Amino acid sequence: RCDTELPMGTWGRGNLQRASEVAEHVLLALRLLAPGRVRIVQSWQDARMPVFSIPIGMRLPEPMAWTLVGPRMTWTGSADDLREVFAVLRHTTSMPTVALALRRFDAAYGRISDEDRLIDYWVALEALFLPDRRDELSYLGPLRIARYLEQQLDARRSVFELLRDSYKDRSAIVHGSATRDVAQTASATEDILRRALRKMLVAGEAPSPADFQNLLLD
């Protein structure tokens, strides 16, 4: 549960007028702050507390019957962090690739399988980091992402190698040849996507074609 008043007035008149819309944006902000299968209860009255975490296996009464998949969200961050991410989400309309990536990141929370979540994460990552390429995706994608997120060589190498393996799993799933458990890979890829999205949202822009070239020359 998030016990903090929301900066509803910062969105301007005509935007997010309904409590459900505010809740959806707070939910996305929370998902960008920490991992976990956080959901919205469909019926709630207090706009200051729209987000709930339901323990694994708990089933809500009809018509809200669903069983939570994945760990309960544990977020202990500050209200300022939540306000910041919530506020910058309104600027995504000026960043089409970021908006697309956010939709796939958000949609992954509704998937049952780790394989489906991993595919969503790579659709998002390719939209962010490979909009100009149709080849060498398994190499350029991990390289660009690692250079964008990390400053130290060892950290870059770690992210690069992790994402190379992740992309191999993604390709195996798409081509129907996946055989191993990808839960850990999906979780790690989710975290990397989360970091990239937050960095772009705070910066107010996605990397440009020139930026991609610089990411290769750093």
Side-chain angles (χ1 to χ4, degrees):
R1 194 176 75 179
C2 170
D3 290 320
T4 182
E5 292 207 14
L6 308 179
M8 295 171 61
T10 63
W11 289 77
R13 188 171 182 80
N15 295 326
L16 297 183
Q17 292 297 308
R18 294 178 302 159
S20 61
E21 292 177 297
V22 176
E24 288 171 1
H25 281 75
V26 175
L27 179 66
L28 180 54
L30 282 169
R31 288 172 172 174
L32 287 165
L33 287 167
R37 304 267 78 83
V38 60
R39 303 274 188 136
I40 292 181
V41 170
Q42 293 184 16
S43 177
W44 57 275
Q45 302 297 323
D46 189 343
R48 295 173 301 173
M49 298 185 295
V51 180
F52 296 80
S53 297
I54 309 300
I56 295 175
M58 178 178 289
R59 182 169 291 278
L60 299 178
E62 296 292 347
M64 300 182 295
W66 48 264
T67 300
L68 186 67
V69 176
R72 184 175 184 175
M73 181 181 188
T74 55
W75 180 70
T76 58
S78 70
D80 288 341
D81 290 337
L82 177 59
R83 289 173 184 273
E84 178 186 33
V85 175
F86 181 85
V88 297
L89 282 173
R90 62 178 168 168
H91 300 303
T92 58
T93 54
S94 63
M95 298 182 286
T97 56
V98 174
L100 169 60
L102 280 169
R103 288 197 300 273
R104 296 311 292 248
F105 171 78
D106 205 33
Y109 281 80
R111 308 299 185 194
I112 299 299
S113 72
D114 295 314
E115 289 84 358
D116 289 340
R117 279 193 285 274
L118 186 61
I119 291 171
D120 277 323
Y121 299 147
W122 271 107
V123 170
L125 287 168
E126 288 182 40
L128 294 174
F129 291 97
L130 295 164
D132 59 330
R133 298 300 294 254
R134 295 294 180 270
D135 58 352
E136 298 184 74
L137 305 185
S138 64
Y139 174 78
L140 280 179
L143 179 62
R144 288 176 173 180
I145 297 165
R147 287 182 177 269
Y148 180 75
L149 290 178
E150 303 292 352
Q151 297 298 317
Q152 300 299 319
L153 180 60
D154 287 346
R156 285 180 175 176
R157 183 179 293 112
S158 178
V159 170
F160 174 78
E161 292 174 353
L162 187 155
L163 288 176
R164 285 275 278 177
D165 289 340
S166 176
Y167 195 89
K168 290 177 183 177
D169 285 334
R170 170 261 181 211
S171 297
I173 293 166
V174 170
H175 296 291
S177 58
T179 57
R180 72 188 190 101
D181 184 1
V182 299
Q184 186 173 353
T185 299
S187 178
T189 306
E190 175 189 323
D191 185 60
I192 289 170
L193 173 59
R194 178 180 291 107
R195 290 176 57 199
L197 284 169
R198 285 189 61 187
K199 183 173 180 177
M200 290 180 193
L201 285 168
V202 172
E205 60 183 2
S208 67
D211 292 330
F212 288 136
Q213 185 61 32
N214 292 333
L215 289 175
L216 297 178
L217 297 176
D218 279 354

